[in-house]
Amino acid sequence: MNLTRRDALALGLGATAAALLPFRAVAAADDAIAAFTGGAEAGAGGITLTAPEIAENGNTVPITVDAPGAETIAVFATGNPTPEVAAFTFGPLAGSQMASTRIRLAGTQDVVAIAKMADGSFVKAAATVKVTIGGCGG
């Protein structure tokens, strides 16, 4: 097989693009988180995110978020093509600020939950989920 200069250039550009794809996904998640928080820094504590360490199927990954005193809880999957997964808003008559759902993950990645508290501050929790079979076309 003869490798021409044009083929080598195309291979190099393709490898570069493939190497940068994860950075674009994380940047999209960072942008989505910044949009939710309005650019404010999120502190730690006050929120609990429960997710499995290993998910055999990325199509249905069970998670639970609990943040007593929260007005809104948003969940993000940093490696998904669309990182915004869910947002839960709680009114003044809510018995508790907790939600359980199943989410879809494209592959092994971090799941981030951010809660907007009643005083306007933000708190954050994250968990890494290892996915053996991807759920977003993987």
Side-chain angles (χ1 to χ4, degrees):
M1 175 180 160
N2 267 346
L3 186 64
T4 66
R5 185 173 47 191
R6 183 174 289 158
D7 293 336
L9 183 62
L11 256 152
L13 289 174
T16 302
L20 293 177
L21 283 177
F23 296 118
R24 286 185 46 210
V26 171
D30 290 342
D31 291 344
I33 291 170
F36 176 70
T37 63
E41 201 62 34
I47 184 170
T48 304
L49 170 64
T50 306
E53 282 186 37
I54 299 174
E56 291 187 19
N57 188 343
N59 282 321
T60 57
V61 179
I63 64 162
T64 301
V65 289
D66 185 14
E71 290 181 349
T72 305
I73 301 174
V75 179
F76 302 91
T78 60
N80 278 1
T82 305
E84 301 92 346
V85 175
F88 306 98
T89 303
F90 304 99
L93 298 179
S96 67
Q97 291 75 28
M98 194 246 336
S100 294
T101 189
R102 294 184 182 272
I103 63 174
R104 179 178 271 186
L105 298 177
T108 299
Q109 60 188 286
D110 289 333
V111 176
V112 179
I114 299 180
K116 179 179 182 185
M117 305 307 281
D119 63 359
S121 65
F122 293 92
V123 292
K124 171 178 153 180
T128 300
V129 179
K130 296 177 184 169
V131 177
T132 57
I133 301 172
C136 295

